[in-house]
Amino acid sequence: RQKYLINLAYGAAQQFVLEGKHKEAIPAAWHALRFSAEVFGSNSVQLVPAYLLLAEASAGAGDFPQASRYLTQAQWIVLRTPACGAALRSRLHRALGLLCAAEGDFDQALYHLANDIYLASSAFGPESLETCGGYFHMANVFFHQNKRDIANSLYAKV
């Protein structure tokens, strides 16, 4: 029953984010996190997706410090879990890169997005749709830095 509630809350939060209703997504994502902690434990790697969703919703709502705190918590769990898969680590680096880009720290954003691309490539392959998203976000960062040639080559790759 708890796992059903986790999936329900997580799905509702994802839907709110997709609809651009970031503030509405936060309570649902928080419930997904709370239920996940009850089922899997407070330091379990199964909490990371909920933390990533909370960070995305918080950033979308304009609360970058709170988004950073959620990402720090997710990063701490991933660092403490050596067996954490490349796919989840890729999602973490993408979220960190997008937050850095939103805050204007483009060098740090590129660092995290490069890690995202590497990890996504190792998990899904270099030409996969999952990897493609990293290239797209990296191209956007280069575009904002007025490095149009690099951005255009990455957009072409996408």
Side-chain angles (χ1 to χ4, degrees):
R1 188 177 75 160
Q2 288 281 40
K3 290 181 182 180
Y4 173 77
L5 290 174
I6 293 167
N7 291 333
L8 185 66
Y10 189 84
Q14 277 185 316
Q15 186 63 38
F16 281 129
V17 167
L18 289 174
E19 293 171 359
K21 300 176 182 176
H22 297 96
K23 287 184 181 180
E24 290 89 342
I26 293 171
W30 193 86
H31 283 297
L33 175 66
R34 194 186 81 184
F35 295 142
S36 295
E38 288 174 9
V39 172
F40 302 111
S42 61
N43 290 317
S44 172
V45 75
Q46 281 89 357
L47 274 64
V48 172
Y51 276 121
L52 296 177
L53 190 54
L54 275 165
E56 183 177 2
S58 296
D63 191 352
F64 295 130
Q66 185 62 48
S68 180
R69 285 189 285 275
Y70 288 133
L71 289 176
T72 298
Q73 195 65 29
Q75 191 173 28
W76 177 246
I77 291 171
V78 168
L79 287 172
R80 291 177 44 145
T81 311
C84 181
L88 189 58
R89 292 190 338 231
S90 167
R91 288 181 56 200
L92 173 63
H93 278 285
R94 181 168 301 176
L96 288 164
L98 291 174
L99 181 63
C100 289
E103 293 176 325
D105 187 354
F106 296 127
D107 290 336
Q108 197 65 23
L110 291 172
Y111 167 80
H112 286 297
L113 291 170
N115 280 309
D116 164 34
I117 292 168
Y118 171 77
L119 292 164
S121 293
S122 66
F124 305 107
E127 302 297 323
S128 71
L129 186 60
E130 290 84 357
T131 306
C132 185
Y135 287 120
F136 178 76
H137 293 303
M138 186 177 267
N140 287 339
V141 171
F142 281 120
F143 185 82
H144 286 302
Q145 289 182 318
N146 290 319
K147 297 179 179 176
R148 307 262 193 249
D149 290 342
I150 299 171
N152 287 336
S153 71
L154 288 171
Y155 286 134
K157 178 129 180 98
V158 171

